[in-house]
């Protein structure tokens, strides 16, 4: 009986504001159930891991190390935010890594048009790929996984044909973007922060954001309710494509080189992991923007922690795999409970 | 009176039925038609295509993917997906070469099968009883198997060689009646797969789960157990493909298998199996594998194209096929 109350209360959409301390014990317990952990587990994990590192990892708290970590993770955050929107609609975008490769392939070809010109062409590649994926998914109704899989395979091939071998980029603009900073914050990190804020505003302050979540919750009901399902879905894939392309630009700038064959390999998996660990359910209907950022940071920090302690990359990868499953298991646990209430 | 009422209706259902049949035929045999056309064109265009050696080579190259795709077909029948097969394939190869070097031929076959089967089993258990999305579980499996593989091979630095005198080499390098063993193995495996699908209760159960899992559960079908078996089989088959590649190349190569899961899924979908589960054919998967391999071969024959065109063309054909399937399904429903 007590449990039942807790379960029902735990599903209230808005958590009580922190400024209203509960008088009795029950509300505080209700906030500590599975739903609470699902919503906040990623932040807990992140804080815990930072604390652990402060104690056990030498030089962890230095600005240099922090900077390096953030620069490393920034492109992942950008691409994961696009993935979060797609997963919010109940879809998936496997093409993001190939889009990054495509961007890397076209930048050296158009560097003659100046830094901004080359970046613009790179981003257009993302728009086109996203538009194709969105049209095939939204208008023809092909499953997202298979549509973006086909694009992933084809686009990676095209990127290799267009881009070929590794090319180093000697352009002052790209050098500034890759290694410069403003007010001590690297450009790459700053861009990731701006993108995160924009996506957050999009999801919490616009009609589009609400429509996206509604479609992810139930696309047929949304269509019946008169929402522009096809347009919203197409737009979501275009946003994902553009953000992937932007991540490609950031990586090219950071490496001062483009390598279409290797750039963005397995990024789609990293991004999906960040989104899921961040608390966005794979079934759609919800987008956790801040959680996604935290998820990307957490995965990066796990790898860093293990590698900093001489545990090899391969073991780090296995640990990541286990964490993904545990994170999703926590999600399913809450889903089941919510269903049992209904 | 009755004729007036029934005739238009009968004509309508007739047309619909004919259309349905046509759509099903396109879904099932579309890839076969493309394959036949492609082979005919290639035969006339390139003198080197329709030679015994080239066909043998296509069959041999296709055999590794075919073994993996067979497991994937059953997984997709249940409405699931197995993203781990590429990593498990590579892991199986490395384990086989290691065991052949350290122990003997028997170990070279058994060790990979045990490890890869165990990975499949764990995935199946988590999916069936933990009720987690197959996509995410096998994604984790992909990471895990690749991590394990790199761990075993010192981050890919150590390469195990199959000893020159080992009988293990015969497994994929030997041949019977001029046809390499791997091709025979594929024929036998697909035969068994077809028997399992059509002549045992396991086959219809797999399809029923993919069609509607809740209904299958209510009918009393062993949903969880069937899923576990399916994912275990997929792991075993991917591991066995690794055994074959290790025997064929006489070594354990750590970098293979990246993207193989996607090739396998492509082959299954090209073969007419619906990714949503519940319908499809085993033979179609074989056609899908051959189609991908023939595309690769034809692109190699065109001297001016490099292997990247293979990806572009495969991706384009896959997209075209799924769009067509989807479009046809739409016309029928309407």
């Amino acid at each position: 009986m007590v449990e039942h109350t807790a379960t029902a209360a735990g599903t209230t959409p808005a958590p009580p504001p922190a400024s209203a301390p509960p008088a009795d014990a029950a509300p505080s317990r209700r906030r500590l159930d599975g739903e609470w952990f699902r919503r906040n587990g990623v932040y807990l994990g992140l804080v815990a891991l930072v604390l652990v590192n402060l104690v056990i990892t030498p030089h962890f708290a230095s600005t240099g190390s922090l900077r390096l970590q953030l620069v490393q993770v920034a492109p992942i955050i950008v691409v994961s935010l696009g993935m979060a929107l797609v997963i919010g609609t109940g879809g998936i975008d496997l093409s993001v890594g190939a889009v990054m490769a495509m961007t890397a392939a076209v930048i050296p070809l158009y560097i003659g048009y100046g830094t901004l010109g080359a970046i613009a062409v790179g981003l257009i590649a993302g728009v086109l790929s996203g538009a194709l994926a969105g049209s095939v998914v939204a208008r023809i109704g092909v499953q997202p996984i298979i549509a973006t899989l086909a694009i992933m395979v084809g686009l990676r091939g095209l990127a290799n044909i267009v881009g070929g071998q590794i090319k180093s980029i000697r352009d002052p603009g790209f050098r500034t973007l890759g290694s410069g900073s403003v007010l001590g914050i690297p450009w790459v990190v700053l861009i990731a922060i701006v993108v995160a804020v924009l996506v957050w505003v999009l999801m919490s302050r616009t009609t589009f954001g609400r429509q996206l979540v509604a479609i992810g919750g139930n696309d047929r009901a949304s269509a019946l309710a008169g929402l522009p399902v096809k347009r919203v879905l197409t737009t979501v894939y275009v946003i994902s494509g553009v953000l992937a392309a932007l991540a490609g630009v950031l990586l090219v700038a950071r490496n001062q080189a483009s390598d279409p064959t290797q750039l963005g390999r397995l990024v789609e998996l990293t991004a999906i992991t960040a989104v899921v660990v961040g608390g966005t359910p794979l079934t759609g209907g919800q987008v956790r923007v801040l959680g996604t950022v935290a998820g990307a940071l957490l995965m990066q920090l796990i790898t860093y922690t293990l590698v900093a302690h001489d545990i090899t990359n391969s073991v780090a990868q296995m640990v990541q795999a286990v964490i993904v499953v545990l994170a999703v298991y926590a999600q399913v646990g809450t889903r089941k409970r919510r269903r049992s209430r209904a | 009176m009755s004729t007036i009422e029934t005739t238009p209706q009968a004509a309508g259902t007739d047309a619909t039925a004919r259309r349905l049949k046509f759509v099903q035929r396109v879904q099932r045999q579309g890839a076969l038609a493309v394959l036949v056309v492609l082979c005919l064109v290639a035969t006339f265009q390139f003198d080197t295509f329709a030679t015994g050696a080239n066909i043998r080579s296509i069959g041999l190259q296709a055999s590794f993917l075919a073994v993996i795709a067979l497991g994937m077909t059953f997984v997709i029948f249940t409405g699931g997906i197995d993203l781990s097969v590429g990593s498990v394939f590579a892991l199986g190869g490395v384990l086989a070469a290691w065991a052949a070097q350290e122990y003997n031929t028997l170990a070279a076959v058994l060790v990979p099968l045990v490890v890869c089967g165990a990975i499949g089993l764990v995935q199946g258990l988590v999916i069936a009883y933990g009720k987690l999305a197959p996509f995410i579980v096998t994604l984790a499996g992909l990471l895990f198997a690749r991590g394990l593989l790199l761990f075993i091979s010192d981050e890919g630095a150590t390469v195990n060689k199959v000893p020159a005198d080992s009988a293990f080499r015969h497994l994929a390098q030997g041949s019977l009646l001029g046809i390499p063993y791997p091709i025979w193995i594929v024929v036998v495996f697909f035969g068994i797969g077809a028997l399992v699908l059509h002549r045992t209760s396991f086959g219809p159960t797999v399809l029923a789960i993919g069609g509607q899992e809740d209904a299958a559960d209510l009918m009393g079908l062993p949903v969880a157990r069937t899923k576990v078996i399916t994912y275990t089989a997929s792991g075993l088959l991917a591991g066995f493909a690794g055994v074959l590649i290790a025997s064929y190349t006489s070594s354990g190569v750590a970098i293979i298998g990246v993207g193989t899961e996607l090739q396998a899924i492509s082959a299954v979908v090209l073969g007419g199996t619906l990714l949503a589960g519940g319908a499809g054919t085993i033979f179609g998967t074989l056609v899908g594998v051959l189609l991908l391999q023939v595309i690769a071969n034809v692109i190699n024959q065109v001297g001016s194209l490099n292997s990247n065109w293979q990806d572009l063309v495969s991706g384009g054909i896959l997209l075209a096929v799924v769009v067509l399937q989807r479009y046809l399904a739409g016309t029928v429903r309407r």
Side-chain angles (χ1 to χ4, degrees):
Chain A
M1 186 63 209
V2 175
E3 227 171 45
H4 185 78
T5 326
T7 318
T11 52
T12 27
S19 56
D24 52 302
S28 71
R29 188 198 283 173
R30 94 166 56 131
R31 271 189 279 145
L32 273 173
D33 68 357
E35 178 71 16
W36 188 90
F37 274 105
R38 185 178 80 75
R39 293 198 142 264
N40 301 298
V42 63
Y43 308 116
L44 280 183
L46 197 55
V47 170
L49 204 53
V50 168
L51 291 177
V52 167
N53 271 298
L54 284 174
V55 177
I56 64 166
T57 311
H59 312 299
F60 173 72
S62 69
T63 353
S65 143
L66 184 70
R67 247 181 96 107
L68 185 68
Q69 293 301 304
L70 290 177
V71 169
Q72 292 261 346
V73 79
I76 302 292
I77 289 178
V78 171
V79 78
S80 301
L81 287 165
M83 184 70 81
L85 298 186
V86 175
I87 291 182
T89 67
I92 199 112
D93 189 353
L94 296 182
S95 68
V96 289
V99 169
M100 289 167 75
M102 193 65 212
T103 305
V106 296
I107 284 175
L109 300 180
Y110 292 92
I111 198 75
Y113 293 90
T115 312
L116 287 179
I119 291 176
V121 176
L123 294 183
I124 288 170
V127 172
L128 293 179
S129 164
L132 178 62
S135 313
V136 172
V137 169
R139 286 173 209 284
I140 303 175
V142 174
Q143 276 171 300
I145 174 173
I146 200 74
T148 56
L149 166 66
I151 292 173
M152 167 194 181
V153 174
L155 198 60
R156 174 74 65 176
L158 188 64
N160 280 328
I161 294 165
V162 171
Q165 300 300 309
I166 303 176
K167 293 193 182 82
S168 67
I169 312 266
R170 290 196 189 80
D171 176 78
F174 268 98
R175 187 172 314 135
T176 312
L177 182 62
S179 49
S181 54
V182 238
L183 304 171
I185 305 169
W187 273 106
V188 178
V189 177
L190 198 65
I191 288 172
I193 293 171
V194 169
V195 169
V197 171
L198 287 178
V199 172
W200 183 81
V201 169
L202 182 75
M203 286 315 297
S204 60
R205 294 277 180 277
T206 67
T207 319
F208 178 83
R210 256 169 286 146
Q211 289 175 337
L212 191 163
V213 168
I215 290 168
N218 190 335
D219 57 340
R220 295 194 59 169
S222 304
L224 290 173
L227 295 189
V229 174
K230 291 178 181 174
R231 201 179 69 209
V232 172
L233 274 181
T234 313
T235 314
V236 166
Y237 282 89
V238 170
I239 293 174
S240 175
V242 170
L243 290 185
L246 180 61
V249 169
L250 297 183
L251 270 181
V252 169
R254 207 186 71 197
N255 300 342
Q256 301 290 308
S258 81
D259 179 6
T261 311
Q262 284 310 316
L263 194 98
R265 280 229 181 262
L266 291 180
V267 159
E268 55 283 345
L269 304 183
T270 315
I272 294 167
T273 307
V275 172
V276 171
V277 168
T280 302
L282 263 182
T283 41
Q286 212 182 84
V287 176
R288 309 253 293 138
V289 177
L290 196 59
T292 300
V293 174
L297 288 171
L298 181 63
M299 298 318 282
Q300 167 78 17
L301 196 55
I302 289 168
T303 312
Y304 167 83
T305 310
L306 294 168
V307 172
H309 290 273
D310 282 338
I311 294 163
T312 51
N313 234 334
S314 52
V315 178
Q317 205 171 336
M318 287 190 266
V319 172
Q320 281 196 351
V322 174
I323 289 174
V324 175
V325 172
L326 290 179
V328 181
Y329 186 73
Q331 285 190 9
V332 172
T334 40
R335 253 210 317 278
K336 243 184 278 170
R337 240 167 283 139
R338 204 181 308 155
R339 203 179 299 144
S340 70
R341 179 186 57 116
Chain B
M1 181 78 185
S2 63
T3 42
I4 296 169
E5 267 179 19
T6 50
T7 313
Q9 216 179 351
T13 47
D14 247 24
T16 316
R18 237 180 293 134
R19 208 161 196 187
L20 190 70
K21 241 184 192 160
F22 169 72
V23 166
Q24 280 176 343
R25 205 171 300 147
V26 170
Q27 270 183 359
R28 298 235 169 110
Q29 317 292 356
L32 187 60
V34 176
L35 180 65
V36 169
V37 170
L38 192 61
C39 285
L40 285 176
V41 170
T43 307
F44 286 113
Q45 280 292 314
F46 311 104
D47 297 336
T48 45
F49 182 80
T51 59
N54 192 48
I55 290 170
R56 254 172 67 118
S57 145
I58 291 176
L60 193 59
Q61 295 295 327
S63 63
F64 310 110
L65 183 60
V67 170
I68 299 171
L70 177 62
M72 183 71 83
T73 308
F74 277 92
V75 170
I76 292 181
F77 279 167
T78 69
I81 200 142
D82 189 350
L83 296 180
S84 72
V85 290
S87 295
V88 171
F89 166 56
L91 176 64
V94 168
L95 286 172
W98 170 79
Q101 188 182 310
E102 297 287 318
Y103 301 102
N104 51 32
T105 302
L106 188 65
V109 177
L110 285 184
V111 171
L113 287 185
V114 168
V115 175
C116 298
I119 291 178
L121 175 68
V122 170
Q123 291 184 150
L125 288 173
V126 174
I127 290 165
Y129 293 102
K131 305 220 187 298
L132 299 199
F135 185 87
I136 206 79
V137 174
T138 56
L139 173 62
L142 180 157
L143 291 174
F144 188 87
R146 183 66 64 182
L148 186 59
L149 155 72
L150 291 173
F151 183 68
I152 291 170
S153 61
D154 290 331
E155 307 290 315
T158 314
V159 177
N160 293 294
K161 291 258 178 231
V162 178
D165 58 344
S166 173
F168 179 59
R169 290 187 175 214
H170 288 294
L171 181 62
Q173 293 176 13
S175 60
L176 178 68
L177 303 174
I179 297 172
Y181 284 143
I183 298 180
W184 287 111
I185 290 172
V186 167
V187 170
V188 171
F189 276 21
F190 273 74
I192 294 173
L195 282 180
V196 167
L197 184 65
H198 298 295
R199 292 278 178 273
T200 68
S201 64
F202 181 80
T205 307
V206 164
L207 290 172
I209 292 173
Q212 200 164 11
E213 194 174 326
D214 291 350
D217 198 24
L218 288 173
M219 280 163 65
L221 294 175
V223 172
R225 197 178 70 207
T226 305
K227 279 191 183 176
V228 173
I229 294 172
T230 310
Y231 284 94
T232 309
S234 179
L236 281 172
L237 285 168
F240 186 72
V243 171
L244 286 180
I245 198 98
S247 167
Y248 182 65
T249 60
S250 302
S251 62
V253 187
I255 54 164
I256 59 164
V258 177
T260 301
E261 58 282 348
L262 304 173
Q263 279 185 311
I265 296 168
S266 303
V268 173
V269 173
L270 283 174
T273 295
L274 297 179
L275 200 61
T281 67
I282 302 236
F283 178 69
T285 297
L286 201 52
V287 173
V289 170
L290 281 174
L291 181 57
L292 291 177
Q293 202 58 52
V294 169
I295 291 170
N297 189 270
V298 166
I299 281 165
N300 283 340
Q301 308 259 353
V302 184
S304 58
L305 301 180
N306 60 19
S307 64
N308 295 319
W309 285 89
Q310 213 170 293
D311 287 341
L312 183 60
V313 174
S314 307
I317 288 188
L318 180 59
L319 196 60
V321 167
V322 289
V323 165
L324 187 69
Q325 279 184 359
R326 191 59 221 174
Y327 173 74
L328 289 172
T331 58
V332 167
R333 211 183 306 133
R334 253 175 262 135

